[in-house]
Amino acid sequence: SQQGEEDPQALSIQEGENATMNCSYKTSINNLQWYRQNSGRGLVHLILIRSNEREKHSGRLRVTLDTSKKSSSLLITASRAADTASYFCATVSMNRDDKIIFGKGTRLHILP
Amino acid sequence: EADIYQTPRYLVIGTGKKITLECSQTMGHDKMYWYQQDPGMELHLIHYSYGVNSTEKGDLSSESTVSRIRTEHFPLTLESARPSHTSQYLCASSRGTAVNYGYTFGSGTRLTVV
């Protein structure tokens, strides 16, 4: 049962530009997480933002959360070729079932 | 580097064969999960375990079964593989509640049933 929905589905940008991906979800959440998946590999956990937080940074990553709009965004600054991957948002709901529900992902392609 | 290992990485087998996908982690995590990922990238939870001798079915109905006899080991078995089982299978583990922790994933097993 999908909770988060990423937008856009695919994104191509020039190396050095900033990449922004958005995620919308439906029900109240405890936290929201972003993951990266390189082609043919497993997912890598990038960042977790709690429902009472509005913004979080990790290196070149900036995540925002707007619980009133039920949306989040992931910004990657100064993109590099190695950032080419799929990015997933994932939510943990308030219903205490302690599971992470993943969206369908955004495919990001960094052009040289 | 994630300390969760999946074998094999790729597997091509004939219809009707029994197969076991292996997943092991060295982090001492109690919680482990199996996801099936379709070509459209969406992940579907098919099994999970919160500790030894504990297994539950996930949100997506699956003909596979799992076992958890040891903390570090969470194998997935298909008794009779069919072409509809062709997919990427991802194993994950967590050090605690999803309220506080994300998942660590293995590299996945790409299964093709011919």
Side-chain angles (χ1 to χ4, degrees), chain B residues 36-88:
Chain B
Q36 186 173 337
Q37 185 173 29
D38 62 26
M41 298 200 302
E42 190 170 356
L43 282 85
H44 302 281
L45 179 66
I46 52 175
H47 297 284
Y48 62 98
S49 167
Y50 286 168
V52 171
N53 294 326
S54 150
T55 61
E56 301 286 346
K57 289 188 181 295
D59 303 319
L60 179 69
S61 175
S62 173
E63 292 162 350
S64 59
T65 59
V66 292
S67 63
R68 190 87 184 276
I69 298 170
R70 303 197 317 265
T71 298
E72 62 270 24
H73 196 212
F74 191 39
L76 181 145
T77 298
L78 277 166
E79 291 292 332
S80 179
R82 294 208 300 270
S84 60
H85 296 138
T86 294
S87 190
Q88 163 103 320

